[in-house]
Coordinates of all heavy atoms in Angstrom, one line a residue:
M1 N 184.8 138.6 -13.8 CA 184.9 138.4 -12.4 C 184.5 137.0 -12.0 O 185.2 136.4 -11.2 CB 184.0 139.5 -11.7 CG 184.0 139.4 -10.2 SD 185.5 140.1 -9.5 CE 185.1 140.1 -7.9
S2 N 183.4 136.5 -12.6 CA 183.0 135.2 -12.3 C 183.9 134.1 -12.8 O 184.1 133.1 -12.2 CB 181.6 134.9 -12.8 OG 181.6 134.9 -14.2
R3 N 184.6 134.4 -13.9 CA 185.6 133.5 -14.4 C 186.8 133.4 -13.5 O 187.4 132.3 -13.3 CB 186.0 133.9 -15.8 CG 185.0 133.6 -16.9 CD 185.5 133.9 -18.2 NE 184.5 133.7 -19.2 CZ 184.6 134.0 -20.5 NH1 185.8 134.4 -21.0 NH2 183.7 133.7 -21.4
L4 N 187.2 134.5 -13.0 CA 188.3 134.6 -12.1 C 188.0 133.8 -10.8 O 188.8 133.0 -10.3 CB 188.7 136.0 -11.8 CG 189.9 136.2 -10.8 CD1 191.1 135.6 -11.4 CD2 190.0 137.7 -10.5
L5 N 186.8 134.0 -10.3 CA 186.3 133.3 -9.1 C 186.3 131.8 -9.3 O 186.7 131.0 -8.5 CB 185.0 133.8 -8.6 CG 184.4 133.2 -7.4 CD1 185.3 133.5 -6.2 CD2 183.0 133.8 -7.1
L6 N 185.8 131.4 -10.5 CA 185.7 130.0 -10.8 C 187.1 129.4 -11.0 O 187.4 128.3 -10.5 CB 185.0 129.8 -12.2 CG 184.8 128.4 -12.7 CD1 184.0 127.5 -11.7 CD2 184.2 128.4 -14.0
A7 N 188.0 130.1 -11.5 CA 189.4 129.7 -11.7 C 190.1 129.5 -10.3 O 190.8 128.6 -10.1 CB 190.2 130.6 -12.6
V8 N 189.9 130.5 -9.4 CA 190.4 130.4 -8.1 C 189.9 129.2 -7.3 O 190.6 128.5 -6.7 CB 190.2 131.7 -7.3 CG1 190.6 131.6 -5.9 CG2 191.0 132.9 -8.0
C9 N 188.6 129.0 -7.4 CA 187.9 127.8 -6.8 C 188.5 126.5 -7.3 O 188.8 125.6 -6.5 CB 186.4 127.8 -6.9 SG 185.6 129.1 -6.0
C10 N 188.7 126.4 -8.6 CA 189.3 125.2 -9.2 C 190.7 125.0 -8.7 O 191.1 123.9 -8.4 CB 189.2 125.2 -10.7 SG 187.5 125.1 -11.3
A11 N 191.4 126.1 -8.7 CA 192.8 126.0 -8.2 C 192.9 125.5 -6.8 O 193.8 124.7 -6.4 CB 193.5 127.3 -8.4
L12 N 192.0 126.0 -5.9 CA 192.0 125.6 -4.5 C 191.6 124.2 -4.4 O 192.2 123.4 -3.6 CB 191.1 126.5 -3.7 CG 191.5 127.9 -3.5 CD1 190.4 128.7 -2.8 CD2 192.8 127.9 -2.6
A13 N 190.6 123.8 -5.2 CA 190.2 122.4 -5.1 C 191.3 121.4 -5.6 O 191.5 120.4 -5.0 CB 188.9 122.2 -6.0
L14 N 192.0 121.8 -6.6 CA 193.0 120.9 -7.1 C 194.2 120.9 -6.2 O 194.9 119.9 -6.1 CB 193.5 121.4 -8.5 CG 192.4 121.1 -9.6 CD1 192.9 121.7 -11.0 CD2 192.2 119.6 -9.8
S15 N 194.5 122.0 -5.5 CA 195.6 122.1 -4.6 C 195.4 121.3 -3.4 O 196.3 120.8 -2.7 CB 196.0 123.5 -4.3 OG 195.0 124.1 -3.5
A16 N 194.1 121.1 -3.0 CA 193.7 120.3 -1.8 C 193.9 118.8 -2.1 O 194.1 118.0 -1.1 CB 192.3 120.6 -1.4
C17 N 193.9 118.4 -3.3 CA 194.1 117.0 -3.7 C 195.6 116.7 -3.7 O 196.4 117.5 -4.2 CB 193.5 116.7 -5.1 SG 191.7 116.9 -5.1
S18 N 195.9 115.6 -3.2 CA 197.4 115.2 -3.2 C 197.4 113.7 -3.6 O 196.4 113.0 -3.5 CB 198.0 115.5 -1.9 OG 197.4 114.7 -0.9
R19 N 198.6 113.3 -4.0 CA 198.8 111.9 -4.4 C 198.7 111.1 -3.1 O 199.2 111.5 -2.1 CB 200.1 111.7 -5.0 CG 200.2 112.3 -6.4 CD 201.5 112.0 -7.0 NE 201.6 112.6 -8.4 CZ 202.6 112.5 -9.1 NH1 203.7 112.0 -8.7 NH2 202.6 113.0 -10.3
P20 N 198.1 109.9 -3.2 CA 198.1 109.0 -2.0 C 199.5 108.5 -1.7 O 200.3 108.3 -2.6 CB 197.2 107.8 -2.5 CG 197.2 107.9 -3.9 CD 197.4 109.3 -4.3
E21 N 199.7 108.3 -0.5 CA 201.0 107.8 -0.1 C 201.2 106.3 -0.5 O 200.2 105.5 -0.5 CB 201.2 107.9 1.5 CG 201.2 109.3 2.0 CD 201.4 109.3 3.5 OE1 201.8 108.3 4.1 OE2 201.1 110.4 4.1
K22 N 202.4 106.0 -0.9 CA 202.7 104.6 -1.3 C 202.7 103.7 -0.1 O 203.2 104.1 1.0 CB 204.0 104.5 -2.0 CG 204.0 105.2 -3.3 CD 205.4 105.1 -4.0 CE 205.3 105.8 -5.4 NZ 206.6 105.6 -6.1
P23 N 202.2 102.5 -0.2 CA 202.2 101.6 1.0 C 203.6 101.1 1.2 O 204.4 101.0 0.3 CB 201.3 100.5 0.6 CG 201.2 100.5 -0.9 CD 201.4 101.9 -1.3
E24 N 203.9 100.7 2.4 CA 205.2 100.2 2.8 C 205.3 98.8 2.2 O 204.5 98.0 2.3 CB 205.4 100.1 4.3 CG 205.4 101.5 5.0 CD 205.6 101.3 6.5 OE1 206.1 100.3 6.9 OE2 205.1 102.2 7.2
T25 N 206.4 98.6 1.5 CA 206.7 97.3 0.9 C 207.7 96.5 1.7 O 207.9 95.3 1.4 CB 207.1 97.5 -0.6 OG1 208.3 98.3 -0.6 CG2 206.0 98.1 -1.4
E26 N 208.3 97.1 2.6 CA 209.4 96.3 3.4 C 208.8 95.4 4.4 O 209.3 94.4 4.7 CB 210.3 97.3 4.1 CG 211.1 98.2 3.1 CD 211.9 99.3 3.8 OE1 212.0 99.2 5.1 OE2 212.4 100.2 3.2
R27 N 207.6 95.7 5.0 CA 207.0 94.9 6.0 C 205.9 94.0 5.4 O 205.0 94.5 4.7 CB 206.4 95.9 7.0 CG 205.9 95.2 8.2 CD 205.4 96.2 9.2 NE 204.3 97.0 8.6 CZ 203.8 98.0 9.2 NH1 204.1 98.4 10.4 NH2 202.8 98.7 8.5
P28 N 206.0 92.7 5.6 CA 205.0 91.8 5.0 C 203.6 92.0 5.8 O 203.6 92.4 6.9 CB 205.5 90.4 5.3 CG 206.4 90.6 6.4 CD 207.0 92.0 6.3
P29 N 202.5 91.8 5.1 CA 201.2 92.0 5.8 C 201.0 90.9 6.9 O 201.5 89.8 6.8 CB 200.2 91.8 4.6 CG 200.9 90.9 3.6 CD 202.4 91.3 3.7
A30 N 200.2 91.3 7.9 CA 199.9 90.4 9.0 C 198.9 89.4 8.5 O 198.0 89.7 7.7 CB 199.4 91.2 10.1
P31 N 199.0 88.2 9.0 CA 198.1 87.1 8.6 C 196.7 87.5 9.1 O 196.5 88.0 10.2 CB 198.6 85.8 9.2 CG 199.6 86.3 10.2 CD 200.1 87.6 9.9
Q32 N 195.7 87.2 8.3 CA 194.3 87.5 8.7 C 193.6 86.4 9.5 O 192.7 86.7 10.3 CB 193.5 87.9 7.5 CG 194.0 89.0 6.7 CD 193.9 90.3 7.5 OE1 193.0 90.6 8.1 NE2 195.0 91.2 7.4
A33 N 194.0 85.2 9.3 CA 193.3 84.1 10.0 C 194.3 83.3 10.8 O 195.5 83.2 10.4 CB 192.6 83.2 8.9
N34 N 193.9 82.7 11.8 CA 194.7 81.9 12.7 C 194.7 80.5 12.2 O 193.6 79.8 12.3 CB 194.3 82.0 14.1 CG 194.5 83.3 14.7 OD1 195.4 84.1 14.3 ND2 193.8 83.7 15.7
A35 N 195.7 80.0 11.6 CA 195.8 78.6 11.2 C 196.3 77.7 12.3 O 197.3 78.0 12.9 CB 196.7 78.5 9.9
T36 N 195.5 76.6 12.5 CA 195.9 75.7 13.5 C 196.3 74.4 12.9 O 195.6 73.9 12.0 CB 194.8 75.5 14.6 OG1 193.7 75.0 13.9 CG2 194.5 76.7 15.3
L37 N 197.4 73.8 13.2 CA 197.8 72.6 12.7 C 197.3 71.5 13.5 O 197.2 71.6 14.8 CB 199.4 72.5 12.6 CG 200.1 73.5 11.7 CD1 201.6 73.5 11.9 CD2 199.6 73.3 10.3
P38 N 196.9 70.3 12.9 CA 196.4 69.2 13.7 C 197.5 68.6 14.6 O 198.7 68.7 14.3 CB 196.0 68.2 12.7 CG 196.7 68.6 11.5 CD 197.0 70.0 11.5
D39 N 197.1 68.1 15.7 CA 198.1 67.4 16.6 C 198.7 66.2 15.9 O 198.0 65.6 15.1 CB 197.4 67.0 17.9 CG 196.9 68.2 18.7 OD1 197.4 69.3 18.5 OD2 196.0 68.0 19.5
A40 N 199.9 65.9 16.3 CA 200.5 64.7 15.6 C 199.8 63.4 15.9 O 199.6 62.6 15.1 CB 202.0 64.6 16.1
E41 N 199.2 63.3 17.2 CA 198.5 62.1 17.6 C 197.2 62.0 16.7 O 196.9 60.9 16.2 CB 198.1 62.2 19.0 CG 197.4 61.0 19.5 CD 197.0 61.2 21.0 OE1 197.9 61.6 21.8 OE2 195.9 60.8 21.4
T42 N 196.5 63.0 16.5 CA 195.2 63.0 15.7 C 195.6 62.8 14.3 O 194.9 62.0 13.6 CB 194.5 64.3 15.9 OG1 194.3 64.6 17.3 CG2 193.1 64.2 15.2
W43 N 196.6 63.4 13.8 CA 197.0 63.3 12.4 C 197.4 61.8 12.0 O 197.1 61.3 11.0 CB 198.1 64.2 12.1 CG 198.5 64.2 10.6 CD1 199.6 63.7 10.1 CD2 197.7 64.8 9.5 NE1 199.6 63.9 8.7 CE2 198.5 64.6 8.4 CE3 196.6 65.5 9.5 CZ2 198.0 65.0 7.1 CZ3 196.1 65.9 8.2 CH2 196.9 65.7 7.1
D44 N 198.1 61.2 12.9 CA 198.6 59.8 12.6 C 197.6 58.7 12.9 O 197.8 57.6 12.5 CB 199.9 59.6 13.4 CG 201.1 60.5 12.9 OD1 201.0 60.9 11.7 OD2 202.0 60.8 13.6
D45 N 196.6 59.1 13.7 CA 195.6 58.0 14.1 C 194.7 57.7 12.9 O 193.8 58.5 12.6 CB 194.8 58.5 15.3 CG 194.0 57.4 15.9 OD1 194.1 56.3 15.5 OD2 193.3 57.7 16.9
A46 N 194.9 56.6 12.2 CA 194.2 56.3 11.0 C 192.7 55.9 11.4 O 191.8 56.1 10.5 CB 194.8 55.1 10.3
S47 N 192.4 55.4 12.5 CA 191.1 55.0 12.9 C 190.2 56.3 12.9 O 189.0 56.2 12.6 CB 191.0 54.3 14.2 OG 191.5 55.1 15.2
K48 N 190.7 57.4 13.3 CA 189.9 58.6 13.4 C 189.7 59.2 12.0 O 188.7 59.9 11.7 CB 190.6 59.7 14.3 CG 190.6 59.2 15.7 CD 191.3 60.3 16.6 CE 191.3 59.8 18.0 NZ 191.9 60.8 18.9
R49 N 190.6 58.9 11.0 CA 190.4 59.4 9.7 C 189.5 58.6 8.8 O 188.9 59.1 7.9 CB 191.8 59.6 9.0 CG 192.6 60.7 9.6 CD 193.8 60.9 8.7 NE 194.4 59.7 8.2 CZ 195.6 59.3 8.5 NH1 196.3 59.9 9.4 NH2 196.1 58.2 8.0
E50 N 189.5 57.3 9.0 CA 188.8 56.4 8.1 C 187.3 56.5 8.2 O 186.6 56.3 7.1 CB 189.2 54.9 8.3 CG 190.6 54.7 7.8 CD 191.0 53.2 8.0 OE1 190.1 52.4 8.0 OE2 192.2 52.9 8.1
K51 N 186.7 56.7 9.3 CA 185.3 56.8 9.4 C 184.7 57.9 8.5 O 183.8 57.6 7.7 CB 184.8 56.9 10.8 CG 183.4 56.8 11.0 CD 182.9 56.8 12.4 CE 181.4 56.7 12.5 NZ 181.0 56.8 13.9
P52 N 185.1 59.2 8.6 CA 184.6 60.2 7.7 C 184.9 59.9 6.3 O 184.1 60.1 5.4 CB 185.3 61.5 8.2 CG 185.7 61.2 9.6 CD 186.0 59.7 9.6
A53 N 186.1 59.3 6.0 CA 186.4 59.0 4.6 C 185.5 57.9 4.1 O 185.1 58.0 2.9 CB 187.9 58.6 4.5
T54 N 185.1 56.9 4.9 CA 184.2 55.9 4.5 C 182.8 56.4 4.2 O 182.2 56.1 3.2 CB 184.2 54.8 5.5 OG1 185.5 54.3 5.8 CG2 183.3 53.6 5.1
E55 N 182.4 57.3 5.1 CA 181.0 57.9 4.9 C 181.0 58.8 3.7 O 180.1 58.7 2.9 CB 180.7 58.7 6.1 CG 180.4 57.9 7.4 CD 180.2 58.7 8.6 OE1 180.2 60.0 8.5 OE2 180.0 58.1 9.7
L56 N 182.1 59.5 3.4 CA 182.2 60.3 2.3 C 182.2 59.5 1.0 O 181.6 59.8 0.0 CB 183.4 61.2 2.4 CG 183.7 62.1 1.2 CD1 182.5 63.1 1.0 CD2 185.0 62.9 1.3
T57 N 183.0 58.4 1.1 CA 183.1 57.5 -0.1 C 181.8 56.9 -0.4 O 181.4 56.8 -1.6 CB 184.2 56.4 0.2 OG1 185.4 57.0 0.5 CG2 184.3 55.5 -1.0
Q58 N 181.0 56.5 0.6 CA 179.7 55.9 0.4 C 178.8 56.9 -0.2 O 178.0 56.6 -1.1 CB 179.2 55.3 1.7 CG 179.9 54.1 2.1 CD 179.4 53.6 3.5 OE1 178.6 54.3 4.2 NE2 179.9 52.4 3.9
A59 N 178.8 58.1 0.3 CA 178.0 59.2 -0.2 C 178.2 59.5 -1.6 O 177.3 59.8 -2.4 CB 178.1 60.5 0.7
I60 N 179.5 59.4 -2.1 CA 179.8 59.6 -3.5 C 179.5 58.4 -4.3 O 178.9 58.6 -5.4 CB 181.3 59.9 -3.6 CG1 181.6 61.3 -2.9 CG2 181.8 60.0 -5.0 CD1 183.1 61.6 -2.8
Q61 N 179.7 57.2 -3.8 CA 179.5 56.0 -4.6 C 178.0 55.6 -4.8 O 177.7 55.0 -5.8 CB 180.2 54.8 -4.0 CG 181.7 54.9 -4.1 CD 182.2 54.9 -5.6 OE1 181.6 54.2 -6.4 NE2 183.2 55.6 -5.9
K62 N 177.2 56.0 -3.9 CA 175.8 55.6 -3.9 C 175.1 56.1 -5.2 O 174.5 55.3 -6.0 CB 175.0 56.0 -2.7 CG 173.6 55.5 -2.6 CD 173.0 55.9 -1.3 CE 171.6 55.3 -1.1 NZ 171.0 55.7 0.1
P63 N 175.2 57.4 -5.5 CA 174.5 57.8 -6.8 C 175.2 57.3 -8.0 O 174.6 57.0 -9.0 CB 174.6 59.3 -6.7 CG 175.4 59.7 -5.6 CD 175.6 58.5 -4.7
L64 N 176.5 57.1 -7.9 CA 177.2 56.5 -9.1 C 176.8 55.1 -9.4 O 176.6 54.7 -10.5 CB 178.8 56.6 -8.9 CG 179.4 58.0 -8.8 CD1 180.9 57.9 -8.4 CD2 179.2 58.7 -10.1
D65 N 176.6 54.3 -8.3 CA 176.2 52.9 -8.5 C 174.8 52.9 -9.0 O 174.4 52.0 -9.9 CB 176.2 52.2 -7.1 CG 177.6 51.9 -6.7 OD1 178.6 52.0 -7.5 OD2 177.8 51.7 -5.4
R66 N 173.9 53.8 -8.6 CA 172.5 53.9 -9.1 C 172.6 54.2 -10.6 O 171.8 53.6 -11.4 CB 171.7 54.9 -8.3 CG 170.3 55.0 -8.8 CD 169.5 56.0 -8.1 NE 169.3 55.5 -6.7 CZ 168.8 56.3 -5.7 NH1 168.5 57.5 -5.9 NH2 168.6 55.7 -4.6
A67 N 173.4 55.1 -11.0 CA 173.5 55.5 -12.4 C 174.0 54.3 -13.2 O 173.5 54.1 -14.3 CB 174.4 56.7 -12.6
R68 N 175.0 53.6 -12.7 CA 175.5 52.4 -13.5 C 174.4 51.3 -13.6 O 174.4 50.7 -14.7 CB 176.7 51.8 -12.8 CG 177.9 52.7 -12.9 CD 179.1 52.1 -12.2 NE 180.2 53.0 -12.2 CZ 180.7 53.5 -11.1 NH1 180.3 53.2 -9.9 NH2 181.7 54.4 -11.1
S69 N 173.6 51.2 -12.6 CA 172.5 50.1 -12.7 C 171.5 50.5 -13.7 O 170.8 49.7 -14.4 CB 171.9 49.9 -11.4 OG 171.1 51.0 -10.9
V70 N 171.2 51.8 -13.9 CA 170.2 52.3 -14.9 C 170.8 52.3 -16.3 O 170.1 52.3 -17.3 CB 169.7 53.7 -14.4 CG1 168.8 54.3 -15.5 CG2 169.0 53.5 -13.1
E71 N 172.1 52.4 -16.4 CA 172.8 52.6 -17.7 C 172.4 51.4 -18.7 O 172.1 51.7 -19.8 CB 174.3 52.6 -17.5 CG 175.0 52.9 -18.8 CD 176.5 52.9 -18.6 OE1 177.0 52.4 -17.6 OE2 177.2 53.5 -19.5
A72 N 172.4 50.2 -18.2 CA 172.1 49.1 -19.1 C 170.7 49.2 -19.7 O 170.5 49.0 -20.9 CB 172.3 47.8 -18.3
T73 N 169.7 49.5 -18.8 CA 168.4 49.7 -19.3 C 168.2 50.8 -20.3 O 167.5 50.7 -21.3 CB 167.4 50.0 -18.1 OG1 167.7 49.0 -17.1 CG2 166.0 50.0 -18.5
T74 N 168.9 51.9 -20.0 CA 168.9 53.0 -21.0 C 169.5 52.7 -22.3 O 168.9 53.0 -23.4 CB 169.6 54.2 -20.3 OG1 169.1 54.5 -19.1 CG2 169.5 55.5 -21.2
L75 N 170.6 52.0 -22.3 CA 171.2 51.6 -23.6 C 170.4 50.6 -24.3 O 170.3 50.7 -25.6 CB 172.6 51.0 -23.3 CG 173.7 52.0 -22.8 CD1 175.0 51.2 -22.4 CD2 173.9 53.1 -23.8
E76 N 169.7 49.7 -23.7 CA 168.8 48.7 -24.3 C 167.6 49.5 -25.0 O 167.3 49.2 -26.1 CB 168.3 47.7 -23.3 CG 167.5 46.6 -23.9 CD 167.0 45.6 -22.9 OE1 167.7 45.4 -21.9 OE2 165.9 45.1 -23.0
A77 N 167.1 50.4 -24.3 CA 166.0 51.2 -24.8 C 166.4 52.0 -26.0 O 165.7 52.1 -27.0 CB 165.4 52.1 -23.8
A78 N 167.6 52.5 -26.0 CA 168.1 53.3 -27.1 C 168.3 52.4 -28.3 O 168.0 52.8 -29.5 CB 169.4 54.0 -26.8
D79 N 168.8 51.2 -28.1 CA 169.0 50.2 -29.2 C 167.7 49.8 -29.8 O 167.5 49.7 -31.1 CB 169.7 48.9 -28.7 CG 171.2 49.2 -28.4 OD1 171.7 50.2 -28.9 OD2 171.8 48.4 -27.6
Q80 N 166.6 49.6 -29.0 CA 165.3 49.3 -29.5 C 164.8 50.5 -30.3 O 164.1 50.3 -31.4 CB 164.4 49.0 -28.4 CG 164.6 47.6 -27.7 CD 163.7 47.4 -26.5 OE1 162.9 48.2 -26.2 NE2 163.8 46.2 -25.9
Q81 N 165.0 51.7 -29.9 CA 164.5 52.9 -30.6 C 165.2 53.0 -31.9 O 164.6 53.3 -33.0 CB 164.7 54.1 -29.8 CG 164.1 55.4 -30.4 CD 164.3 56.6 -29.5 OE1 165.1 56.6 -28.6 NE2 163.6 57.6 -29.8
R82 N 166.5 52.8 -32.0 CA 167.3 52.8 -33.2 C 166.8 51.8 -34.2 O 166.6 52.0 -35.4 CB 168.8 52.6 -33.0 CG 169.4 53.9 -32.6 CD 171.0 53.7 -32.6 NE 171.5 54.4 -31.4 CZ 171.9 53.8 -30.3 NH1 171.9 52.5 -30.2 NH2 172.3 54.5 -29.3
A83 N 166.5 50.5 -33.7 CA 166.0 49.5 -34.6 C 164.6 49.8 -35.1 O 164.4 49.6 -36.3 CB 166.0 48.2 -33.8
A84 N 163.8 50.4 -34.3 CA 162.5 50.8 -34.8 C 162.6 51.9 -35.9 O 161.8 51.9 -36.9 CB 161.6 51.3 -33.6
I85 N 163.5 52.8 -35.7 CA 163.6 53.9 -36.7 C 164.2 53.3 -38.0 O 163.7 53.7 -39.0 CB 164.6 55.0 -36.1 CG1 163.9 55.8 -35.0 CG2 165.0 56.0 -37.2 CD1 164.8 56.7 -34.2
D86 N 165.2 52.4 -37.9 CA 165.7 51.8 -39.1 C 164.6 51.0 -39.8 O 164.6 51.0 -41.0 CB 166.9 50.9 -38.7 CG 168.1 51.7 -38.3 OD1 168.2 52.9 -38.6 OD2 169.0 51.1 -37.6
A87 N 163.8 50.3 -39.1 CA 162.8 49.5 -39.7 C 161.8 50.4 -40.4 O 161.3 50.1 -41.5 CB 162.0 48.7 -38.6
Q88 N 161.4 51.6 -39.8 CA 160.5 52.5 -40.5 C 161.1 53.1 -41.7 O 160.4 53.4 -42.7 CB 160.0 53.5 -39.5 CG 159.1 53.0 -38.4 CD 158.6 54.1 -37.4 OE1 159.1 55.2 -37.5 NE2 157.8 53.7 -36.5
E89 N 162.4 53.4 -41.7 CA 163.0 54.0 -42.8 C 163.1 53.0 -44.0 O 163.1 53.4 -45.1 CB 164.5 54.4 -42.5 CG 164.5 55.7 -41.6 CD 165.9 56.1 -41.2 OE1 166.9 55.2 -41.4 OE2 166.1 57.2 -40.7
Q90 N 163.2 51.7 -43.7 CA 163.2 50.7 -44.8 C 161.8 50.3 -45.2 O 161.7 49.5 -46.1 CB 164.0 49.5 -44.3 CG 165.5 49.8 -44.0 CD 166.2 48.6 -43.4 OE1 165.6 47.6 -43.1 NE2 167.5 48.8 -43.1
G91 N 160.8 50.8 -44.6 CA 159.5 50.5 -45.0 C 158.9 49.2 -44.3 O 157.9 48.7 -44.6
N92 N 159.6 48.7 -43.3 CA 159.2 47.5 -42.5 C 158.6 48.0 -41.2 O 159.1 47.7 -40.2 CB 160.3 46.6 -42.3 CG 160.9 46.1 -43.6 OD1 160.2 46.0 -44.6 ND2 162.2 45.8 -43.5
A93 N 157.5 48.8 -41.3 CA 157.0 49.3 -40.1 C 156.3 48.3 -39.3 O 155.2 47.7 -39.7 CB 156.0 50.5 -40.4
T94 N 156.8 47.9 -38.2 CA 156.2 46.9 -37.3 C 155.9 47.7 -36.0 O 156.7 48.5 -35.6 CB 157.1 45.7 -37.0 OG1 158.3 46.2 -36.4 CG2 157.4 44.9 -38.2
P95 N 154.8 47.5 -35.4 CA 154.5 48.2 -34.2 C 155.5 47.8 -33.1 O 155.9 46.6 -32.9 CB 153.1 47.7 -33.8 CG 152.9 46.5 -34.5 CD 153.7 46.5 -35.7
P96 N 155.9 48.8 -32.3 CA 156.9 48.5 -31.2 C 156.2 47.7 -30.1 O 155.0 47.8 -29.9 CB 157.3 49.9 -30.7 CG 156.2 50.8 -31.1 CD 155.6 50.2 -32.4
P97 N 156.9 46.8 -29.4 CA 156.3 46.1 -28.3 C 155.8 47.0 -27.2 O 156.5 47.9 -26.9 CB 157.4 45.1 -27.9 CG 158.7 45.8 -28.3 CD 158.3 46.6 -29.5
S98 N 154.7 46.7 -26.7 CA 154.2 47.5 -25.6 C 154.7 46.9 -24.3 O 154.7 45.7 -24.1 CB 152.6 47.5 -25.6 OG 152.1 46.2 -25.4
D99 N 155.1 47.8 -23.4 CA 155.6 47.4 -22.1 C 154.6 47.6 -21.0 O 155.0 47.7 -19.9 CB 156.9 48.3 -21.8 CG 158.0 47.9 -22.8 OD1 158.0 46.8 -23.3 OD2 158.9 48.8 -23.0
Q100 N 153.4 47.7 -21.3 CA 152.3 47.9 -20.3 C 152.1 46.8 -19.5 O 152.0 45.8 -19.2 CB 151.1 48.4 -21.0 CG 151.3 49.7 -21.6 CD 150.0 50.2 -22.3 OE1 148.9 49.6 -22.2 NE2 150.1 51.3 -23.1

């Protein structure tokens, strides 16, 4: 009796389930955001575009220029370190110059 009741309950549960309906493919989806195009006057006005571009360019170039200025010092220190290592490997241990 309990098996029959279980089978009937499962059959009812499965019959209540149905396949989901297929979405319509003929109609394109509606756009989600409103895109606004710039005015022709604003777009063509170079003076309004150059100021932010200049500030952006300066913001990008400033750390790059700083890195380039430090690069020579870093390469020189690396060359001195390589020379000291080579000297120690050859048995010519000389104390490195102190920069204090």
